[in-house]
Amino acid sequence: MASAEPLLLIEDLHVSVGDREILRGVDLAIGEGETHVLLGPNGTGKSTLLNTIIGLPNYRVTQGRIVFKGQDLSGLEIDERARLGIGIAFQRPPAVRGVRLRQMLDVAAGGKLPEETVVKLDEDLSLEYMLDREVNMGFSGGEAKRSEMAQLLVQEPDLALFDEPESGVDLDNIAVVGAAMNALLKGDGRVSERTRSGLIITHTGHILQYVNADIAHVLYEGHLACRGNPLDLIDEISRHGYDACVECAICQRL
Amino acid sequence: MPETVSTAAQQRLAEIREAAEKAIDKPATLGPDVDITRFRTVSEQDKIDSLASLEKQIKETVIHSGFVADESERSGSYFQMDRTPIYERVQNAFDNAIEIMSTQDALAKWPDEMLEKYWWRAVMPDKDKYTALVALHQTEGYFIRVKAGHKVEKPIQACLFVSESNVSQNVHNLIIVEDGAEANVITGCNVHVDVKEGLHAGISEFYVGKNAKLTFTMVHNWGEDFSVRPRTAVVVDDGGVYINNYVLLTPVKSIQSFPVAKLEGKGSTAVFNTIVYGLKKSIIDLGSEAQLIGEGSRSEAVARTVTLDESVVYSRGRLIGRTNDCKAHLDCRGIVQSSASTQWAIPDLVSEGAPGAELSHEAAISPIAAEEIYYLMTRGLPKDEAVSMITRGFVNIDIPGLPDVLRRQIDKALEETAKEAM
C-alpha cells in the first residue's frame, strides 16, 4: 500500500447479523484508484462486508472500525455514507413500487439529470423502456444489473461496491455491465490518474475479462485468509477449491 | 319552473318531493350521522364577469383541486359560490359541443326531458336524509352536456365553493355525454380558508351514451370541520366508458361516498381510481360499486390509501355481476403511517345468478418495506425524503388514458401535500 492513507481502511472488523457473528476480524485497505476483488465460498460473509460498509442497519459492528477518507463511518447513516462517496450495486436490488428508474437516476445524480445524460446512459446500457418502469419491478437479471450500473454511473462514487455483478446475467449482459464498471472505475484517464476505487464480489471471475482488478482477497471463515493476483487466485480456486486455496503458496498468506 | 310544465312533469316533481319528505330523517347506511338541522342553507352571492376577478385567496385555494382562472387549457367552466352559479362559460371554440348551466336552469329550460330521462333517475331521492335534503332544499349544482359525436379533449372545469360557516350546500349535478361524445370533467370542491363547520350534500347523476366516454376527475379540498355526503350514480350505455378519478389530500371532518356505476350497456366499462390521504382526525368512508348488467361489461377499481395522524379510512369496493359475460377486478392497497390511525379494506364481490361472471380482488394493508427505504438511501437520499418519495409513488397510480393536464394536476397536488407533510 502506498504511504498515503488508503481511501478505505477496515481494521479488525467484527459484524453480527442477529445473534450470529459473520465477520470475525476483517482487515482491508483499498487505496485510491485500486480495484479489489472479494472471493470466498457461499455464506462466508462477502455480502455482509459490503452491506456493512454502506451501513445497512441489520449489520451490527461489534468490534473494529471502518474508516473512509479518514473519517470513521460508525454512526453515519446510509445516505451520509453515499454522499461521502460510497456507492453500491446490489446483487438483488429490491423492487420499489411507484418509483421509476428515471427517478432513481435523478436521486443518484443528486438532482434532475440532463436529458442528454439520460440518452447517453440509455445508449450505453440499453435502458430503453426500463427508464419509465418501476425500478426492479419485474426486471430480468440483466435488466436489474444494467439499472444498478446506470445508477452508479450517475452517482459517481469514489468507492464502488459491486455484489456479484455477473450473477444471473447472460454473456451479452456481462459485457455491457463490465464495460460500465470499467468506465466507472477507470474513466478515460491513464492508469496512474485513476482516482476511483472498487470492491467486487465475484464467484466466477467472468467479470474480470472486462475489469482490471489489482488484488483479490479470499474471505474464509469470517476473515480475509489470503490475497494475491486475481486471475491466479481464481484459477487456483477453480482447480483445487477454497480449502486448498487458503493453504496454498501462490498467494500472500495474511 | 315555467308554466308550460306538463302534468306528467308536475306529477313527477310531486312524487320526488313526497319521497324526500318521508326520508328526511333517514340515516345513511354508512358513515357517521350528521345532524342536518344544525345548518342553514348557503346564501346568494354576486355574479362575476371573469374568473380573473375572483379573490386572490380563492384562486389559490381552488387551484389545489385543478380549477384554474386562466381558461386557455379549459373548454368550459362553472363556478358556484355558496348557492349562486357566479360564472358559467363555454369557450367559443366549443359553443356547438358543450352546454353548461346550473341544473335549475336546465330544469327550467327542458323540464320534460330532464324529468323523464335524467332528474332523480339514477339516484333515488329517498335513499337517505342527504338525498332528501337536496331534493327538498336544493342549492343549484352544475349541468354539463356534451352533444353527440363531439370529442372534447380540453377539460371542462367545475368548482363548488363554500365561503360561509355553519351552512349546508345541497347541490344536484348532472353530466350528460351523448352518443359518441367524449369529455373530461375536472371538478373541485373547496371551502374558504376561514370556513369552520359545514355540510356539503351533493347528488351527481351522470349519463354516458352509446360509445361515449366520460373521464371525471374530482379533487376534494374540504375543511377540517366539514362533513361531505356525495351521492353519485352513473348510467353507462352500450360501448360507453366511464372513468372516475378521485383524489382527497386534505383533512375533512367526515366524508362518506359510494358512487355506483350501472353498466347497463353491452360492452360498457367503468374504472374507478382513488387516491386518499387520511390526515388529522378525518373519517373517510369511500368506495365504489360496479353493477355489471350489460353483456361484456367490464370494471376495474384501484384504490391507494395512506393514513396519518388519527385518521380513519374505509376503502370499500363492490362488484356485482348480473350477466354471464362480465369481468371486474378490485385492487386496494393501504399504508398505515401512524399508530393512531385506522384503515379498513373491504372488498365485496357478488354474483347474482351469473355463473360466468369473473370477479376478483386484491386487498393489502402493509408498511413500506425497510429495504426499499434503504435502497433509496444508498443513492444519497435522506431517510425522510426516501419515505416521502416511496409514499408518493405508492399513491401516484398509473391511470391509463388520463389526460396530461389532469396528470400534472394530481402530481402537483401530491407534491404540495408531500411538502406539507414533511
Side-chain angles (χ1 to χ4, degrees):
Chain A
M1 201 56 54
S3 58
E5 191 171 334
L7 183 70
L8 177 78
L9 179 67
I10 295 176
E11 290 178 331
D12 189 29
L13 186 70
H14 290 246
V15 175
S16 293
V17 177
D19 294 335
R20 198 163 148 247
E21 186 173 59
I22 311 280
L23 299 182
R24 303 179 203 125
V26 170
D27 293 288
L28 174 69
I30 300 178
E32 211 173 73
E34 292 177 359
T35 297
H36 291 222
V37 172
L38 199 55
L39 304 167
N42 287 329
T44 48
K46 299 186 297 300
S47 295
T48 297
L49 180 58
L50 264 54
N51 293 340
T52 307
I53 296 171
I54 194 65
L56 294 189
N58 296 341
Y59 299 83
R60 204 158 36 87
V61 175
T62 56
Q63 195 177 315
R65 61 181 195 142
I66 306 172
V67 179
F68 181 71
K69 294 184 179 174
Q71 185 172 349
D72 190 322
L73 293 184
S74 61
L76 289 192
E77 295 285 345
I78 302 169
D79 57 303
E80 293 172 305
R81 297 178 194 217
R83 289 196 300 274
L84 209 54
I86 303 175
I88 184 163
F90 288 102
Q91 188 190 351
R92 278 185 292 272
V96 187
R97 194 181 285 280
V99 176
R100 293 162 204 283
L101 175 56
R102 194 185 285 278
Q103 291 171 277
M104 286 301 287
L105 293 174
D106 290 341
V107 167
K112 184 91 189 119
L113 264 186
E115 193 53 33
E116 54 267 30
T117 311
V118 179
V119 170
K120 175 80 170 62
L121 275 174
D122 182 6
E123 279 170 14
D124 293 347
L125 290 161
S126 317
L127 301 176
E128 294 155 17
Y129 55 90
M130 286 161 62
L131 281 169
D132 292 309
R133 276 169 65 190
E134 292 166 305
V135 69
N136 303 320
M137 190 73 79
F139 281 15
S140 70
E143 286 173 337
K145 300 291 178 182
R146 296 198 320 263
S147 146
E148 291 293 283
M149 286 310 138
Q151 293 174 51
L152 276 194
L153 279 171
V154 295
Q155 192 178 351
E156 302 184 321
D158 298 310
L159 173 68
L161 311 171
F162 302 92
D163 196 345
E164 297 198 32
E166 79 269 80
S167 76
V169 174
D170 62 32
L171 288 174
D172 287 350
N173 274 306
I174 290 183
V176 175
V177 168
M181 288 172 69
N182 204 37
L184 181 69
L185 294 172
K186 309 303 184 200
D188 297 325
R190 293 203 305 263
V191 176
S192 60
E193 291 169 348
R194 290 189 216 159
T195 55
R196 296 218 187 101
S197 308
L199 180 57
I200 305 168
I201 295 178
T202 176
H203 276 292
T204 62
H206 289 153
I207 201 70
L208 300 181
Q209 290 171 20
Y210 307 93
V211 181
N212 289 318
D214 303 295
I215 305 166
H217 307 264
V218 176
L219 183 63
Y220 194 79
E221 293 180 346
H223 66 280
L224 297 180
C226 63
R227 72 178 191 199
N229 175 286
L231 296 176
D232 292 348
L233 267 186
I234 288 168
D235 182 51
E236 177 67 18
I237 292 162
S238 64
R239 283 193 283 133
H240 301 115
Y242 279 109
D243 292 344
C245 173
V246 295
E247 299 298 326
C248 83
I250 65 160
C251 59
Q252 303 162 253
R253 208 155 311 148
L254 298 171
Chain B
M1 193 66 40
E3 286 177 12
T4 52
V5 172
S6 66
T7 322
Q10 281 177 8
Q11 202 178 336
R12 176 70 188 142
L13 283 169
E15 279 169 23
I16 293 167
R17 172 162 284 274
E18 198 183 328
E21 277 167 352
K22 284 185 190 153
I24 195 69
D25 295 320
K26 184 179 167 186
T29 326
L30 303 170
D33 191 48
V34 179
D35 177 4
I36 58 175
T37 61
R38 295 176 55 218
F39 305 109
R40 60 182 173 80
T41 51
V42 282
S43 319
E44 296 281 352
Q45 300 292 341
D46 294 333
K47 299 236 178 202
I48 55 173
D49 294 329
S50 143
L51 290 174
S53 61
L54 282 172
E55 196 184 305
K56 184 164 174 278
Q57 203 170 38
I58 292 175
K59 272 191 262 186
E60 282 169 7
T61 303
V62 299
I63 206 161
H64 287 282
S65 53
F67 194 96
V68 288
D70 169 12
E71 294 176 86
S72 58
E73 288 297 316
R74 299 289 185 263
S75 54
S77 301
Y78 175 94
F79 197 110
Q80 178 170 334
M81 176 82 81
D82 302 320
R83 74 171 301 155
T84 311
I86 60 169
Y87 183 84
E88 312 149 10
R89 183 159 304 165
V90 172
Q91 297 301 302
N92 290 341
F94 302 95
D95 266 348
N96 299 325
I98 306 172
E99 288 166 341
I100 296 178
M101 63 192 78
S102 76
T103 35
Q104 284 307 115
D105 287 349
L107 200 59
K109 207 167 174 177
W110 307 288
D112 289 319
E113 184 196 7
M114 289 297 125
L115 284 162
E116 192 195 324
K117 291 162 79 175
Y118 309 119
W119 195 248
W120 292 109
R121 289 296 178 188
V123 176
M124 294 302 114
D126 57 356
K127 183 181 167 61
D128 56 35
K129 64 206 252 188
Y130 310 104
T131 57
L133 178 67
V134 178
L136 296 171
H137 305 286
Q138 192 202 336
T139 54
E140 308 291 341
Y142 55 78
F143 170 88
I144 297 169
R145 173 149 56 186
V146 180
K147 294 189 187 160
H150 288 277
K151 297 187 194 317
V152 181
E153 205 165 299
K154 270 192 185 177
I156 299 163
Q157 60 179 358
C159 181
L160 300 167
F161 195 89
V162 177
S163 74
E164 311 168 289
S165 296
N166 303 309
V167 292
S168 70
Q169 187 183 46
N170 315 323
V171 296
H172 191 157
N173 308 309
L174 275 183
I175 300 179
I176 301 160
V177 184
E178 295 184 345
D179 294 353
E182 286 185 14
N184 293 307
V185 177
I186 305 178
T187 61
C189 295
N190 299 269
V191 295
H192 195 277
V193 284
D194 297 333
V195 167
K196 297 292 172 223
E197 256 191 302
L199 168 69
H200 171 95
I203 308 304
S204 296
E205 298 182 284
F206 302 161
Y207 298 88
V208 181
K210 290 189 172 63
N211 300 313
K213 183 177 178 183
L214 171 61
T215 302
F216 179 80
T217 300
M218 180 151 65
V219 183
H220 269 169
N221 192 10
W222 300 104
E224 275 171 58
D225 296 315
F226 227 78
S227 303
V228 186
R229 295 294 180 275
R231 297 290 178 260
T232 304
V234 187
V235 181
V236 188
D237 208 336
D238 294 354
V241 176
Y242 175 69
I243 298 173
N244 184 96
N245 302 316
Y246 179 81
V247 181
L248 174 67
L249 306 171
T250 50
V252 62
K253 184 174 186 186
S254 76
I255 180 164
Q256 186 272 313
S257 175
F258 198 74
V260 175
K262 302 179 186 191
L263 299 172
E264 293 177 353
K266 277 187 184 174
S268 54
T269 302
V271 177
F272 291 89
N273 296 302
T274 305
I275 298 170
V276 170
Y277 264 71
L279 296 166
K280 300 197 177 167
K281 292 186 173 178
S282 304
I283 299 174
I284 299 164
D285 190 326
L286 290 169
S288 64
E289 173 176 306
Q291 301 177 359
L292 300 123
I293 303 162
E295 196 183 311
S297 49
R298 298 283 181 269
S299 181
E300 184 186 31
V302 179
R304 294 289 179 267
T305 48
V306 179
T307 48
L308 299 106
D309 309 325
E310 295 170 54
S311 61
V312 179
V313 172
Y314 293 81
S315 180
R316 303 175 191 271
R318 180 179 293 159
L319 307 174
I320 306 178
R322 292 199 182 127
T323 178
N324 263 329
D325 177 11
C326 69
K327 203 170 183 173
H329 184 68
L330 289 173
D331 168 5
C332 45
R333 290 173 199 275
I335 300 179
V336 176
Q337 281 192 344
S338 124
S339 54
S341 72
T342 303
Q343 267 194 54
W344 294 72
I346 310 174
D348 195 353
L349 314 182
V350 194
S351 175
E352 287 182 354
E358 288 180 48
L359 312 172
S360 59
H361 79 83
E362 257 181 292
I365 299 176
S366 58
I368 298 173
E371 61 165 8
E372 295 176 25
I373 299 168
Y374 301 151
Y375 185 57
L376 267 62
M377 290 172 77
T378 64
R379 307 305 183 220
L381 207 60
K383 188 173 187 177
D384 53 353
E385 288 179 36
V387 170
S388 151
M389 187 170 182
I390 296 172
T391 310
R392 230 164 44 221
F394 169 82
V395 295
N396 203 356
I397 45 181
D398 223 357
I399 303 175
L402 186 70
D404 279 351
V405 57
L406 298 184
R407 161 102 282 155
R408 284 198 300 273
Q409 219 69 63
I410 293 174
D411 282 350
K412 202 168 157 205
L414 288 172
E415 197 75 36
E416 299 280 329
T417 308
K419 264 187 224 153
E420 277 162 29
M422 291 302 294

